[in-house]
Amino acid sequence: CRMPTRWAENLPLLKHRWVYTWREEVGARVFERVDACVTTTRSVREVVLQAFPSLSGKRFEVIEHGRDLEQHDLAVPPDPGKPLRVLILGHLTAIKGGGFVRAVRERDREGRIEFHVLGQCHREYAELAIQHGPYERDEMFGRIAEIAPSIVGLFSITAAWTSP
């Protein structure tokens, strides 16, 4: 895995290599000084505990990162003969699915899918989607209604974690 930022481009590859050194040299020392931990899901908690068994005796809370937002029915059925509108909410970057969106666009020779980004779009992926710019949380639902997507796509890259 390469970090998609220039300041980290000279770091060694993390996946299946330097991550173990980092765990020993940095992670273990940091976690020695921790009184409690918080993560967003039970599965992430288990992954962290596998990597750092010394945390098993410490307080470790799971607080979901979802928000209590009022529900809105904003999905618009696609118009026959028009492209399917897919909203990417947040960012479109290398780690937020830019490569996936590019691959979909390359295969969609008939132009059946139209991507919209409500948020930031890295210049490398700017030609892949209609950009609507950043938004404030309190205007999100209004902005989504203006775009009128049929679906929302969350294309962040995830990978299965494997123990050493």
Side-chain angles (χ1 to χ4, degrees):
C1 298
R2 277 265 170 229
M3 296 295 289
T5 56
R6 290 216 165 112
W7 64 265
E9 65 188 5
N10 293 322
L11 288 177
L13 293 175
L14 285 173
K15 191 171 186 175
H16 305 298
R17 293 185 191 171
W18 193 66
V19 67
Y20 304 113
T21 303
W22 182 90
R23 285 180 190 164
E24 290 174 15
E25 295 180 5
V26 178
R29 286 188 306 203
V30 168
F31 288 133
E32 284 175 4
R33 295 174 171 83
V34 168
D35 294 321
C37 294
V38 175
T39 189
T40 55
T41 67
R42 284 181 293 201
S43 62
V44 170
R45 180 181 184 273
E46 294 308 313
V47 166
V48 172
L49 287 173
Q50 277 187 308
F52 301 100
S54 63
L55 290 174
S56 62
K58 299 191 181 207
R59 187 170 152 224
F60 203 142
E61 299 292 328
V62 175
I63 301 174
E64 293 183 16
H65 61 291
R67 293 186 176 92
D68 291 332
L69 298 173
E70 58 184 274
Q71 298 297 307
H72 293 260
D73 187 9
L74 298 173
V76 176
D79 288 332
K82 290 191 177 180
L84 175 71
R85 287 179 160 230
V86 178
L87 175 62
I88 299 166
L89 190 59
H91 303 298
L92 184 60
T93 63
I95 61 172
K96 295 290 187 175
F100 174 77
V101 172
R102 175 171 281 124
V104 170
R105 290 289 308 267
E106 288 170 357
R107 287 166 178 80
D108 180 27
R109 288 182 172 71
E110 293 84 28
R112 296 176 294 165
I113 301 172
E114 182 178 273
F115 289 101
H116 294 256
V117 176
L118 182 55
Q120 303 274 337
C121 188
H122 189 275
R123 66 182 174 276
E124 182 179 350
Y125 307 104
E127 81 284 357
L128 302 177
I130 298 168
Q131 298 177 48
H132 298 273
Y135 64 94
E136 297 295 325
R137 187 180 295 175
D138 63 341
E139 65 182 19
M140 180 178 70
F141 293 119
R143 301 279 305 275
I144 292 172
E146 289 171 6
I147 297 167
S150 294
I151 60 174
V152 173
L154 302 173
F155 306 120
S156 295
I157 297 172
T158 59
W161 182 84
T162 57
S163 59

